Amino acid sequence: MLNVNTDKTNRILGNMCFTLYGRDHISDMIGENTFLISPLSFFQVNPVQTEKLYGKVLEFAGLTGTERVWDMYCGAGTISLSLAEKANHVFGVEIVTEAVENAKENARLNGIDNAEFFAGKAEEVVPRLYAENAEKYRADVVCVDPPRKGCEASLLATILEMAPEKIVYVSCDPATLARDIRILTEGGYELKKAVPVDMFPQTMHVETVCLLSKKP
């Protein structure tokens, strides 16, 4: 694939991709699910640790089959579809349109029909949908896996208004994780667990999975 980016910013990839040879996507498996991934879709690069990371997300979510779940910053649906197998219904939101299309196709590919995906900024889509129909778009469990800048304040405000029983926060930046955890704990949540996952051996980077529960 050839990617074109002429913008003078810190963004690595541009919006235009051209297939030079072969297919316009790759496929990979996490657990029992198969995922199609386009060039602009986010996908973890360490498959062995990815399975452990998502397993920890599922463990912390503690789903019983009755829950409605929001997966914010869902990418190609990798976490969403893992959650959907244990939940009543999953909503996913992602800013990259190609990734959302991948997520929808991955749901069809794996026979999952209780996951719904939206394209757009999480901090815009979730507050808008929740304001339009709070009952439909409420969540018992919220999972967030934001970029290094963490969650926008408007999204955290909507999560607090939504008041899910649990929040599972997946972070690739300890500093923004600490900032957002402070906001959530001041908003009525308690940090129960935090587990690091070494996705990038012999580097300074680490993923962290946190479980927050609503205070009684």
Side-chain angles (χ1 to χ4, degrees), residues 34-51:
T34 300
F35 294 93
L36 302 182
I37 310 122
S38 66
L40 298 180
S41 297
F42 175 79
F43 195 78
Q44 295 283 3
V45 297
N46 186 331
V48 175
Q49 289 294 83
T50 296
E51 196 160 340

Side-chain angles (χ1 to χ4, degrees), residues 12-148:
I12 297 171
L13 297 178
N15 293 321
M16 291 188 294
C17 291
F18 300 95
T19 304
L20 301 180
Y21 181 80
R23 299 176 300 172
D24 62 354
H25 65 275
I26 61 173
S27 62
D28 205 345
M29 291 192 70
I30 300 177
E32 299 298 320
N33 290 329
T34 300
F35 294 93
L36 302 182
I37 310 122
S38 66
L40 298 180
S41 297
F42 175 79
F43 195 78
Q44 295 283 3
V45 297
N46 186 331
V48 175
Q49 289 294 83
T50 296
E51 196 160 340
K52 294 180 180 179
L53 175 71
Y54 292 173
K56 190 58 65 174
V57 171
L58 280 172
E59 177 191 329
F60 282 4
L63 302 175
T64 64
T66 62
E67 296 87 357
R68 298 171 69 81
V69 182
W70 261 107
D71 180 17
M72 301 168 186
Y73 310 94
C74 69
T78 46
I79 291 179
S80 302
L81 300 185
S82 299
L83 294 167
E85 294 181 333
K86 304 288 186 180
N88 177 270
H89 196 85
V90 173
F91 300 108
V93 60
E94 167 63 41
I95 190 173
V96 180
T97 304
E98 291 85 354
V100 174
E101 293 306 311
N102 283 162
K104 293 177 180 178
E105 180 60 29
N106 289 331
R108 289 191 291 269
L109 187 64
N110 293 286
I112 295 172
D113 59 5
N114 62 332
E116 190 174 349
F117 298 97
F118 302 93
K121 295 180 179 180
E123 61 269 22
E124 295 176 358
V125 172
V126 178
R128 174 175 56 80
L129 291 177
Y130 189 68
E132 290 174 357
N133 192 334
E135 180 57 29
K136 178 178 179 180
Y137 294 109
R138 66 174 180 79
D140 302 297
V141 177
V142 166
C143 177
V144 293
D145 187 5
R148 295 192 184 281

